[in-house]
Amino acid sequence: MTGLPERMRAAGGETRSDPFLLHSFPAIPHGVHWSLERPRELLGTVGDPQERYLCLHVGGTNGKGSVAAAWTSVLRALGLRVGLYTSPHLCSFRERIQVDGIPISDGSVQEGVDALRPAIERLQPSFFEAATALAFLHFARSEVDVAVIEVGLGGRLDATNVIRPVLSAVTNIAMDHAEYLGDSLQNIAREKAGIIKPHVPIVTAERNPGLRRILWECAEAREAPFHWFDDRRQLGDLHVSPEGTLATLSVEPWGQLRLRIPLLGVHQAVNVGLAVQALAFLPDELRPAGETVVKGVENLRWPGRVQVVPLGGRTWVFDVAHNVAGVRALAETLPHLSLRRPVVVLAGILGDKDWQEMLPPLFQLADAAVLTQPTSAPPERRWNPSDVARSVGTALQPEVVMDFEEALTRACALAGEGTVVVTGSCHTVGDALLALDIVPFQQEAMLPLFDGSA
């Protein structure tokens, strides 16, 4: 395989079968299993660890992981010990649960699951509910000062919604997971507004006035201070390059901040701007100074989000865009990166996503495309790339290579010394990073623990 690592691994092929792992419980179902009763009871059996530290909560359709990562970076720059819980992961389940940037260890997973085992066997929570309880317990045992929590799906009935945050944010509202959240933006907004708590400040960057009003009405009913981050007014002097994104942010109480954002794209400037504005509404003892904000943003790292990696004589771009809004953001960013041609898109999308709308914006920027099946994609959610290739209505005719490793090789051959853009889902990006021996978070012997379905 010219240009690929000698020891290229079958993506997602390294799994762990240790008996302590969460997925070893046969009663735990994957997929959506909504209820707040189970996670509350599960956490109650280990002393409600989520009550032992301050929490920040972020929901929304796109960008919530980036906001969570920005909060974490700034709070760490303030000198706090910070837990971070996100989902899904790229290469390893342990990425989801971090303390000061270090993913949870095998030993800590085992200790946490051992403590939760009797309740897991009795309550039969979903995988995500059990993972959430494990994260909250790990943060308590690690004695974090604050935990940054990303909503898994929706908000109102998401397992993370058992926390009592000091600050909440909803990034934006777009069509995604309609089968669970509702088939209209208004219904999705109401579900995501479910994380708003009484008297807890809520900040959003949603531009649509009607959707923003739904969030405001929920906040008003709960006497929660409501704030809008207006990116078109508060962000200026934007410049996107392969080195990062520069922006001037106007926000009280710090005035104008010149931010050097390591993440690429105007959409990431919006995410970071929202994160920074929200921090202004923290309790006094947590609110950082302006220079701390700037430092924290400069140290921000969030792999798999328009991540550019030179490898094997070509350029790789990895982006987890998994819905129409995410793909549009990627397509708007790529022209700023001065990518070497030919540009080849390697896409693997889950079958329940709107690939008819996702693929054309990418194909318009590409010289060639390869459709494939990410190895770690849940069997029940896999798409049929052959059917897609026959039905997609674009001038560019994609190739279909079902085997993921062979698809990587074919994309390399088509790109030559140009660029391969890997996108479509966290599964696709994570499997590619594994296959190419690119470790998203630095930790020894980080291996995937399960197939990644939430």
Side-chain angles (χ1 to χ4, degrees):
M1 296 185 193
T2 305
L4 291 179
E6 292 289 334
R7 297 177 59 253
M8 182 175 178
R9 295 171 286 180
E14 296 193 35
T15 58
R16 303 293 291 275
S17 58
D18 311 64
F20 67 85
L21 297 180
L22 287 174
H23 65 74
S24 70
F25 288 94
I28 292 185
H30 287 269
V32 177
H33 188 195
W34 270 349
S35 168
L36 294 184
E37 295 179 5
R38 284 184 304 272
R40 281 174 178 151
E41 189 170 352
L42 184 58
L43 288 160
T45 65
V46 288
D48 287 317
Q50 75 280 9
E51 303 288 348
R52 302 180 205 170
Y53 39 80
L54 299 176
C55 292
L56 280 64
H57 205 193
V58 57
T61 300
N62 290 321
K64 54 185 180 291
S66 297
V67 170
W71 278 348
T72 300
S73 190
V74 173
L75 292 172
R76 289 185 63 198
L78 189 58
L80 299 174
R81 185 165 174 80
V82 185
L84 173 64
Y85 180 50
T86 60
S87 62
H89 60 263
L90 294 175
C91 300
S92 166
F93 169 82
R94 286 186 294 279
E95 298 169 18
R96 298 183 178 211
I97 305 170
Q98 300 183 26
V99 173
D100 282 351
I102 303 300
I104 188 172
S105 67
D106 278 349
S108 293
V109 171
Q110 181 166 11
E111 291 170 2
V113 173
D114 284 346
L116 293 163
R117 184 181 302 273
I120 288 176
E121 292 175 342
R122 176 172 58 87
L123 298 171
Q124 299 185 19
S126 70
F127 186 93
F128 184 74
E129 290 167 349
T132 300
L134 173 64
F136 293 172
L137 179 59
H138 179 62
F139 295 154
R141 289 180 167 181
S142 300
E143 298 182 340
V144 301
D145 299 304
V146 61
V148 174
I149 310 298
E150 177 192 356
V151 170
L153 178 62
R156 181 174 62 93
L157 294 175
D158 186 77
T160 66
N161 206 27
V162 299
I163 63 174
R164 302 176 187 174
V166 296
L167 177 66
S168 301
V170 174
T171 56
N172 48 58
I173 311 295
M175 289 301 297
D176 201 14
H177 299 294
E179 66 274 28
Y180 301 118
L181 304 181
D183 58 2
S184 72
L185 291 174
Q186 290 76 17
N187 287 336
I188 292 173
R190 292 184 186 97
E191 287 296 327
K192 294 186 183 297
I195 70 169
I196 299 174
K197 301 294 192 301
H199 311 292
V200 175
I202 174 70
V203 188
T204 186
E206 174 55 52
R207 286 183 172 183
N208 184 297
L211 300 178
R212 198 164 63 243
R213 182 172 182 82
I214 292 173
L215 299 176
W216 174 82
E217 288 174 347
C218 184
E220 184 81 357
R222 298 171 189 174
E223 299 182 4
F226 180 85
H227 305 277
W228 175 37
F229 174 66
D230 183 357
D231 62 281
R232 288 170 289 193
R233 179 178 61 83
Q234 294 179 251
L235 282 175
D237 300 324
L238 279 162
H239 178 69
V240 180
S241 75
E243 288 71 44
T245 303
L246 293 175
T248 297
L249 173 66
S250 298
V251 58
E252 296 300 331
W254 303 296
Q256 288 197 335
L257 299 176
R258 188 60 174 166
L259 300 179
R260 296 180 178 272
I261 306 169
L263 306 182
L264 306 180
V266 172
H267 63 294
Q268 293 293 9
V270 175
N271 291 331
V272 171
L274 168 64
V276 171
Q277 170 153 328
L279 291 174
F281 305 110
L282 282 173
D284 292 344
E285 65 272 18
L286 284 182
R287 191 178 304 119
E291 55 267 28
T292 303
V293 171
V294 172
K295 178 182 177 182
V297 169
E298 287 181 348
N299 292 334
L300 172 59
R301 300 293 182 272
W302 196 229
R305 281 71 181 175
V306 198
Q307 179 183 0
V308 180
V309 179
L311 181 69
R314 63 186 58 83
T315 301
W316 294 80
V317 180
F318 303 97
D319 191 79
V320 300
H322 64 283
N323 54 32
V324 175
V327 164
R328 286 174 180 163
L330 171 61
E332 290 171 1
T333 303
L334 291 177
H336 294 279
L337 305 185
S338 303
L339 298 173
R340 292 186 298 177
R341 306 199 82 96
V343 173
V344 179
V345 168
L346 176 63
I349 301 173
L350 296 178
D352 52 8
K353 299 295 183 176
D354 189 3
W355 50 263
Q356 296 96 329
E357 295 293 328
M358 293 170 64
L359 290 174
L362 296 174
F363 288 176
Q364 290 173 8
L365 299 173
D367 301 297
V370 177
L371 306 184
T372 189
Q373 193 75 264
T375 309
S376 68
E380 69 278 7
R381 298 184 67 193
R382 295 188 173 193
W383 71 339
N384 188 324
S386 297
D387 288 348
V388 172
R390 286 191 293 268
S391 60
V392 66
T394 61
L396 187 152
Q397 186 59 40
E399 297 186 20
V400 175
V401 183
M402 293 296 289
D403 181 86
F404 192 79
E405 184 175 331
E406 293 178 5
L408 282 170
T409 303
R410 180 57 180 159
C412 286
L414 291 171
E417 296 182 353
T419 303
V420 180
V421 179
V422 181
T423 190
S425 74
C426 286
H427 296 282
T428 306
V429 170
D431 289 351
L433 294 175
L434 275 172
L436 297 167
D437 287 319
I438 300 171
V439 180
F441 295 92
Q442 294 302 316
Q443 183 192 10
E444 293 184 0
M446 177 180 283
L447 303 176
L449 293 184
F450 80 117
D451 64 6
S453 55

